[in-house]
Amino acid sequence: MADGALTAKRQEIALLRRLEERILWLAAWTIHNANHLRESRDGLKVGGHQASSASLTTIMTALYMKALRPQDRVAVKPHASPVFHAIQHLFGRQSLDNLKRFRALGGAQSYPSRTKDVDDVDFSTGSVGLGVAMTAFASLTQDYLAARGAVKPEKMGRMISLLGDAELDEGNIYEALIEACKHDIRNTWWIVDYNRQSLDATTQDRMFTRYGEIFEAAGWSVETLKWSKRQREAFAKPGGDRLQAWIETAPNDLFSALTYQGGAAWRERLSADLADNPEALALIAAYKDVDLAELMTELGGHCLETLLEAFEKAGQDDRPRFFIAYTVKGLRLPFQGHKDNHAGLMTPGQIAELRGRLGVVEGEEWDPLSGLSAAERTAIKGLIARAPFAAEVQRNHRAPSISTPTADELLAAVAGGGEQSTQAAFGKVMFEIAARKDEFAGRVVTTSPDVTVSTNLGGFVNRRGVFQRRAHDDVFKRRRIPSAQVWSKAETGQHVELGIAENNLFIALAALGLTAPLFGERLFPVGTLYDPFIARGLDALNYACYQDARFLLVATPSGLTLAPEGGAHQSINAPVIGMAQPGLDTYEPAFADETAVLMAHAFDRIQAEDGASTYLRLSTRVLAQPERTGEAWRQGVIDGGYWLKAPAPGARLAIVYSGALAPEALAAFEALAEDMPEAGLLAVTSADVLHRGWTAAGRARWTGQETRTSAIEALLAPLARDAGLVTLTDGAPLALSWLGSVRGQRVRALGLEAFGQSGDLPDLYATYRLDADAVLDACADLLA
Ligand SMILES: Cc1ncc(C[n+]2csc(CCOP(=O)(O)OP(=O)(O)O)c2C)c(N)n1
Ligand SMILES: [Mg+2]
């Protein structure tokens, strides 16, 4: 490099270093303000993580100020949120007011949130491990869109996760790693803030070298950023090799303890351990205490030169990369290296000391460039403005609205009544969608964790193929081996086949369900799995909903109705999980036409401004289909319920059912008809939607906004005030037992309250009291 360029580069590094210090300051001050200066009304500790933030500040400065391009997307280590907000503030994308209200209502969020923060969060984080996996599936999603020309090669972004080293204990990371390997993903960087501290303690040494091996085995390029430039220079001096070897072999806890204790402690310990080597002793002696401490603790993850070089090199190709950036938790803060520093907060005295040390003027704490010369301020502002990531590029998109199929169109796929299961109906509708020539059908993407066939997605995949970046020959087909599943594998395929890990299904749905805001392209993701295994990926499902990802989740088969499959596969609590999950409308249809209507509704909800994802709980039980008269049932299905057999006004009894137990409810209803012809039979397609409508109507009334009658209030209105309701569902009875509170009516709730077992339906329904006899007994009890 020419002298001039070298000088310019040195100057830029010096400026970046100054800027990095101010980002450290602003993050620390934001937390300090929230905890020590802002009025507290509840006595609760506000929190925020000064040590974890300090650990990641250099890496984030290097990324955001130099390495990131506008199309890159980042999942930030949740507890480095203050650093993220500080950087966004410097870019003019986060207000000072929001920093002042960090962790207060409407202010900057404790952990970066797509939906609650204003400053352009790419991926929400919070539950450690999930953001990491999210970047791998976002990358897969980007490849999927790129294969369709929806993301241009030059606009392909890097999907970057900034994670803590203890975060590497989360198993979901390795599930995602395996899937990422199978899908040959690229453009993904996972950057570990390797400070060898978790929340509770310093981490075990034994995994030290293993992480790299794991990622190398999965085909990733591993970059270990252990040493800073300053250290490498020192190690090159006489005796330096011994010093380097000392750090290499020092146990985590000793390194951390000395980091906390500082220069004098370092000197004492190193002088003892290196006593046999005069050159090493002379090397140490050449440093003052403060400089010695800095030399020992300024590891690779705190060296801008090292980081920038590594990012620049890595940016030259699209291989997935695993960076192990060595850091110190709380570097430059009074509790650096202390094993208890995770929740540590600087005292007012300590923050004042830091302010003085960094040159921030008292009273100007919110000015990130306070105390700097006019020339330095200008230069740093220029640096920020020139950051590629600062470009005024729209990063949060709105996808054009796509015309989705009408309910009538989807109903045609299941026409003919007869006997059908909801799962089969789902398969038929998907098969029909696969035959459509419209834009919508091209934007449907399906995915399933190794249960594509057994959840009835096979027909869709036969028609639309499996997505694979590199085309793959179907050997079975070429060899003319008969098979019901003819799955071509190519870039054009519309099914993402996953391994069994259900957690990955939900992260995949999160990524596929966010293409509209992230890439400006709408996809209609449909994911399937067995109902009981929702529990396996529940945190990831919640994570997807928390980010407002939009998809259709089809969980089938479900409940005790899986009869011979036995108790390990019979879901019990899923309906209640669905009810309690924000961002997800849970439906349990009984009939094929209901299923078709709900699928049309779900596709609408995917792209509605105030929409949501939909969870359909389906069954393989084949039921006789009802004869429909009129059209009112269709809106009822969407609103959550309708009278399959309307009650007479003032009726004293109704049977209420959800899903696959419709025949038992109907049989009981018919047995009652002679004695109680006025009774009604209520089909509940969504306890979730009914319940939400009911609480919303109540809130609206008592806040005086409007007089609204909810769907369930209207449905139950014809019954006598003291009527009895017998509810029946193939799951936790809690899902329907609340109906008694709507109008103060009495309830007997039938459902599953014990683990199931193998059997046939008559035996199991009788044993678990879900049959018509049980319903009649409950009716008698109510009428007694
Ligand atoms: C799933 C989950 N479990 C527990 C926590 C609580 N928690 C937050 S940070 C943390 C430890 C983080 O250690 P590390 O990843 O090494 O980050 P560092 O703070 O050291 O940078 C824990 C246990 C969480 N956020 N998510
Ligand atoms: Mg750590």
Side-chain angles (χ1 to χ4, degrees):
M1 211 182 286
D3 276 1
L6 203 61
T7 314
K9 185 148 185 153
R10 273 204 204 107
Q11 277 170 351
E12 183 175 60
I13 292 286
L15 280 177
L16 269 175
R17 200 167 284 145
R18 182 74 73 223
L19 176 56
E20 190 264 351
E21 283 177 1
R22 296 315 178 93
I23 292 170
L24 169 75
W25 165 256
L26 194 52
W29 180 252
T30 298
I31 299 168
H32 183 78
N33 175 68
N35 285 277
H36 290 281
L37 304 178
R38 199 168 67 213
E39 187 202 359
S40 167
R41 297 185 303 174
D42 53 16
L44 287 183
K45 175 189 160 182
V46 180
H49 300 83
Q50 288 174 330
S52 300
S53 291
S55 187
L56 200 53
T57 306
T58 329
I59 294 171
M60 288 179 71
T61 303
L63 274 177
Y64 281 89
M65 295 300 161
K66 292 300 284 185
L68 285 187
R69 304 155 306 163
Q71 67 265 39
D72 297 335
R73 301 279 177 182
V74 190
V76 177
K77 182 181 80 167
H79 40 302
S81 175
V83 183
F84 173 76
H85 294 306
I87 288 174
Q88 293 288 354
H89 176 62
L90 287 165
F91 282 132
R93 293 170 184 155
Q94 176 63 287
S95 69
L96 183 59
D97 186 49
N98 279 344
L99 292 188
K100 289 182 175 171
R101 289 186 298 121
F102 172 61
R103 292 190 167 219
L105 187 67
Q109 296 296 296
S110 45
Y111 307 116
S113 165
R114 273 194 65 78
T115 56
K116 297 284 186 282
D117 271 316
V118 296
D119 49 350
D120 202 8
V121 172
D122 294 323
F123 306 118
S124 301
T125 52
S127 180
V128 297
L130 298 182
V132 185
M134 182 70 182
T135 56
F137 286 98
S139 192
L140 175 62
T141 299
Q142 179 174 245
D143 278 340
Y144 183 91
L145 292 172
R148 284 149 179 79
V151 178
K152 300 274 169 284
E154 69 279 8
K155 289 284 175 211
M156 299 275 284
R158 235 165 257 133
M159 303 296 152
I160 299 174
S161 163
L162 301 173
L163 62 150
D165 56 329
E167 202 165 349
L168 284 170
D169 287 336
E170 286 289 359
N172 89 277
I173 290 180
Y174 305 94
E175 295 182 357
L177 179 66
I178 290 168
E179 204 57 63
C181 178
K182 290 191 212 165
H183 285 276
D184 190 19
I185 65 139
R186 47 188 174 152
N187 293 307
T188 306
W189 290 2
W190 289 356
I191 304 172
V192 185
D193 174 357
Y194 207 67
N195 60 27
R196 288 141 295 135
Q197 279 189 251
S198 61
L199 189 159
D200 282 338
T202 50
T203 49
Q204 294 289 327
D205 298 333
R206 286 178 56 85
M207 277 304 291
F208 250 31
T209 54
R210 304 280 179 231
Y211 289 120
E213 291 168 13
I214 291 171
F215 280 78
E216 254 158 25
W220 288 45
S221 169
V222 175
E223 318 284 343
T224 304
L225 311 179
K226 200 175 220 177
W227 310 119
S228 57
K229 185 164 173 250
R230 183 203 301 252
Q231 287 176 322
R232 288 192 302 271
E233 284 167 3
F235 298 157
K237 293 178 185 166
D241 53 342
R242 279 298 303 276
L243 191 60
Q244 179 174 13
W246 187 94
I247 305 181
E248 289 270 22
T249 52
N252 277 348
D253 46 6
L254 175 65
F255 186 88
S256 297
L258 293 175
T259 297
Y260 175 70
Q261 288 177 309
W266 278 116
R267 187 176 307 285
E268 188 192 349
R269 180 64 193 234
L270 290 172
S271 304
D273 288 355
L274 305 177
D276 62 338
N277 189 309
E279 285 181 330
L281 288 180
L283 179 64
I284 301 164
Y287 289 90
K288 289 193 295 209
D289 275 2
V290 276
D291 297 331
L292 180 63
E294 257 183 48
L295 173 69
M296 298 304 284
T297 55
E298 196 196 85
L299 300 167
H302 292 293
C303 174
L304 285 162
E305 282 105 322
T306 304
L307 290 163
L308 291 175
E309 232 167 70
F311 294 152
E312 195 178 319
K313 196 173 121 232
Q316 283 160 13
D317 60 51
D318 61 8
R319 286 189 67 185
R321 279 200 159 68
F322 183 68
F323 295 90
I324 307 177
Y326 278 66
T327 54
V328 167
K329 192 155 170 170
L331 188 74
R332 291 164 287 182
L333 308 187
F335 34 61
Q336 62 176 10
H338 196 292
K339 67 183 175 59
D340 306 337
N341 65 10
H342 187 78
L345 292 172
M346 280 180 272
T347 62
Q350 288 171 330
I351 196 106
E353 189 279 328
L354 180 70
R355 181 184 51 67
R357 183 152 38 102
L358 297 180
V360 174
V361 176
E362 190 172 2
E364 296 179 5
E365 288 86 355
W366 288 111
D367 174 3
L369 305 184
S370 160
L372 301 180
S373 70
E376 239 178 339
R377 284 177 88 99
T378 309
I380 289 181
K381 281 183 185 163
L383 191 72
I384 296 170
R386 284 194 308 278
F389 197 70
E392 281 302 324
V393 175
Q394 195 184 354
R395 298 183 82 252
N396 201 6
H397 304 274
R398 194 180 276 265
S401 177
I402 307 294
S403 166
T404 57
T406 63
D408 281 321
E409 287 169 334
L410 298 189
L411 275 165
V414 299
E419 301 210 323
Q420 305 187 43
S421 72
T422 48
Q423 175 173 317
F426 162 70
K428 287 182 201 169
V429 171
M430 290 305 294
F431 192 56
E432 275 312 299
I433 287 174
R436 291 169 71 99
K437 301 270 184 289
D438 60 355
E439 174 155 22
F440 164 77
R443 289 176 178 273
V444 171
V445 53
T446 60
T447 182
S448 183
D450 202 24
V451 288
T452 301
V453 175
S454 45
T455 55
N456 261 21
L457 258 184
F460 178 90
V461 182
N462 278 348
R463 281 188 166 161
R464 291 280 169 163
V466 173
F467 172 70
Q468 199 160 81
R469 209 145 64 74
R470 299 177 217 276
H472 185 87
D473 194 24
D474 184 341
V475 175
F476 274 71
K477 191 173 164 191
R478 186 156 45 79
R479 294 182 162 267
R480 298 174 199 285
I481 301 172
S483 161
Q485 315 300 334
V486 207
W487 290 3
S488 58
K489 293 181 179 166
E491 268 200 329
T492 50
Q494 283 179 238
H495 173 73
V496 177
E497 179 68 7
L498 299 173
I500 313 172
E502 283 75 15
N503 204 82
N504 280 338
L505 168 73
F506 293 115
I507 307 270
L509 288 174
L512 293 166
L514 283 173
T515 54
L518 289 180
F519 299 99
E521 291 288 335
R522 171 67 63 193
L523 292 179
F524 295 89
V526 179
T528 68
L529 85 170
Y530 294 172
D531 196 51
F533 304 132
I534 284 182
R536 193 67 182 258
L538 201 48
D539 195 24
L541 170 61
N542 180 63
Y543 178 66
C545 294
Y546 181 65
Q547 301 189 74
D548 199 24
R550 300 289 178 81
F551 50 85
L552 166 60
L553 172 67
V554 175
T556 177
S558 57
L560 192 70
T561 304
L562 256 82
E565 277 284 298
H569 275 38
Q570 294 161 346
S571 59
I572 297 174
N573 54 13
V576 183
I577 287 174
M579 284 181 80
Q581 179 61 57
L584 188 70
D585 294 344
T586 300
Y587 284 94
E588 185 162 358
F591 302 115
D593 54 4
E594 295 174 351
T595 309
V597 166
L598 288 172
M599 288 175 71
H601 181 62
F603 293 130
D604 278 346
R605 295 281 284 161
I606 283 178
Q607 61 178 353
E609 185 79 19
D610 62 346
S613 292
T614 300
Y615 156 26
L616 292 185
R617 188 175 190 244
L618 304 185
S619 171
T620 44
R621 187 180 184 197
V622 176
L623 305 187
Q625 301 296 304
E627 292 282 335
R628 300 293 188 188
T629 46
E631 294 286 301
W633 65 274
R634 282 168 60 159
Q635 190 57 44
V637 165
I638 291 169
D639 293 343
Y642 65 97
W643 287 105
L644 193 67
K645 309 282 180 188
R652 292 192 49 238
L653 185 73
I655 297 171
V656 184
Y657 73 92
S658 267
L661 296 175
E664 283 59 40
L666 188 61
F669 176 81
E670 282 168 354
L672 269 176
E674 210 162 289
D675 292 337
M676 293 205 76
E678 75 277 17
L681 180 60
L682 182 65
V684 169
T685 50
S686 178
D688 180 26
V689 172
L690 287 181
H691 190 274
R692 210 155 353 107
W694 174 52
T695 51
R699 272 196 309 276
R701 281 196 297 267
W702 66 66
T703 52
Q705 290 163 5
E706 53 183 309
T707 33
R708 189 168 0 146
T709 305
S710 63
I712 189 61
E713 287 166 311
L715 283 166
L716 297 180
L719 300 176
R721 285 309 288 230
D722 64 346
L725 307 174
V726 174
T727 65
L728 179 67
T729 185
D730 190 356
L734 177 62
L736 292 177
S737 59
W738 61 274
L739 288 175
S741 298
V742 176
R743 304 193 77 238
Q745 289 153 339
R746 292 163 308 125
V747 169
R748 295 292 175 270
L750 306 184
L752 261 185
E753 289 181 290
F755 290 114
Q757 56 188 303
S758 301
D760 68 3
L761 288 181
D763 273 348
L764 288 180
Y765 289 167
T767 304
Y768 289 82
R769 303 247 63 202
L770 298 176
D771 57 1
D773 278 349
V775 176
L776 290 171
D777 285 348
C779 290
D781 183 38
L782 277 174
L783 294 171

